[in-house]
Amino acid sequence: MTRSIVRPARLAAIGVFALAGLIFWVSFDTAQGTNLRSDSSMLRLSDLIQERSRQNAELENQAAGLRRQVDSLARRDDGSTRGEDRRIDALEKRAGLKKLTGQGLTVTLDDAPSNATAKVPGLPDPEPNDLVIHQQDLQAVVNALWKGGAKGIKVMDQRLISTSAVRCVGNTLILQGRVYSPPYKVTAVGDPGRLRAALDAAPAIQNYQEYVDAYGLGWKVEQHKAMTLPGYSGTVDLRQAEPVE
C-alpha cells in the first residue's frame, strides 16, 4: 500500500534484486504462523543483511581506491594532452564521479513513532503503513531536488549517478548494494532558494507533509553555506539480466 502513485526507478543493480528477493522469500517463509517482529530467523536475517552491507561498503572502498590508481596510471600513459585531460575531468564531474563542493540543503525524513495517534481532530488513527517512509517519499525528494537545479545529490553517504535507483524493501532502503534504516538524509548541492522552492512545489511532498502534520512523520530541511559531496565510487559499467538457458 502506498500513499500516492509510485514513480518507477530507472535501473537497479542485479545484486539489489537478489537481496530484495532474499528478503521477500524469507519473509514469506517465516511469516507462515510466526511473529515477524520476534522470530529468531528474521533477527538472524537482519544481522546477515547488515553484515553483508558492511562488507559491501568495505569492498566498494577498496575497489574505488584501485580504480583511482588504475585511472591515474592509464591517464599518465595514454598520450592525451592537458586539454583532453581537462575535458575528461569535466565530464567525470558532471557524471558525479568527482567530489562536489558548494552550498545546498539536507532533507531528513523519518518514521513516526510506532504508537503515534492522530494529531488532528477528526482523523482516524493511523495504519502501520501511514507511519513509515515509503520509496515514493524518497524518490519525490530526489526528483524535486533535481528539478530545483541540484548539481549533485547524495542519499545517506552515497552519491547518486544516472543509473542509481532508490529502492525500499519494508522499512529499509537498499541503495547500490547497501542497506540503510531511517532516518534518511538526502543532501543536494545547489542554490538553496531554488531547491527549497522545488521541494515546496512538489505535489508528492505536499502529500507527505499532510502525514507529517497528521501523524508525526519526520521532516527537516537544513541549509548549508558550504559542504562537499563525495564522488561516486562504484562501478559505472552497465549490466543487464540475461535469461538462463
Side-chain angles (χ1 to χ4, degrees):
M1 182 186 299
T2 58
R3 290 191 288 271
S4 60
I5 297 174
V6 178
R7 297 183 178 180
R10 291 171 291 181
L11 291 172
I14 294 175
V16 172
F17 281 120
L19 181 59
L22 175 63
I23 295 173
F24 283 131
W25 181 86
V26 176
S27 296
F28 171 78
D29 183 60
T30 57
Q32 301 181 60
T34 62
N35 186 332
L36 293 179
R37 293 189 179 274
S38 60
D39 184 61
S40 60
S41 64
M42 285 300 294
L43 297 177
R44 289 195 301 272
L45 175 62
S46 177
D47 292 341
L48 174 63
I49 292 172
Q50 294 297 332
E51 176 62 19
R52 290 292 185 270
S53 179
R54 185 188 64 79
Q55 292 176 2
N56 284 347
E58 292 178 354
L59 291 173
E60 285 177 7
N61 290 334
Q62 294 176 19
L66 292 173
R67 279 195 295 272
R68 285 192 295 269
Q69 294 180 33
V70 171
D71 290 344
S72 177
L73 291 172
R75 188 167 301 179
R76 186 186 67 184
D77 299 329
D78 65 0
S80 62
T81 65
R82 291 184 178 180
E84 291 170 338
D85 288 341
R86 285 194 295 269
R87 286 194 291 273
I88 292 173
D89 286 338
L91 290 172
E92 289 180 342
K93 186 174 183 179
R94 291 178 61 184
L97 306 183
K98 298 286 188 179
K99 290 182 179 180
L100 178 64
T101 299
Q103 59 181 343
L105 297 176
T106 295
V107 180
T108 303
L109 302 93
D110 199 1
D111 292 347
S114 59
N115 62 348
T117 57
K119 299 169 63 177
V120 178
L123 286 180
D125 285 335
E127 299 291 333
N129 189 60
D130 298 327
L131 303 179
V132 297
I133 304 301
H134 293 280
Q135 177 176 314
Q136 68 193 46
D137 302 322
L138 284 168
Q139 287 178 330
V141 171
V142 170
N143 291 339
L145 292 172
W146 283 130
K147 188 174 182 179
K151 298 177 181 177
I153 297 176
K154 74 171 182 178
V155 175
M156 304 303 280
D157 57 349
Q158 293 199 68
R159 182 75 174 272
L160 299 187
I161 61 172
S162 61
T163 56
S164 299
V166 177
R167 309 285 295 182
C168 288
V169 176
N171 65 338
T172 59
L173 165 67
I174 300 178
L175 178 61
Q176 292 159 177
R178 292 161 63 181
V179 180
Y180 301 92
S181 298
Y184 300 123
K185 292 182 179 292
V186 183
T187 303
V189 167
D191 179 81
R194 289 186 61 195
L195 295 174
R196 191 180 292 270
L199 291 170
D200 293 341
I205 294 178
Q206 293 172 3
N207 177 263
Y208 177 85
Q209 293 282 2
E210 293 178 3
Y211 284 79
V212 172
D213 297 335
Y215 301 124
L217 285 171
W219 174 264
K220 181 169 65 174
V221 180
E222 301 171 277
Q223 183 169 328
H224 307 285
K225 292 182 178 179
M227 60 184 180
T228 300
L229 302 184
Y232 174 76
S233 60
T235 179
V236 294
D237 295 335
L238 293 177
R239 298 182 181 180
Q240 62 185 28
E242 295 182 359
V244 177
E245 295 293 338

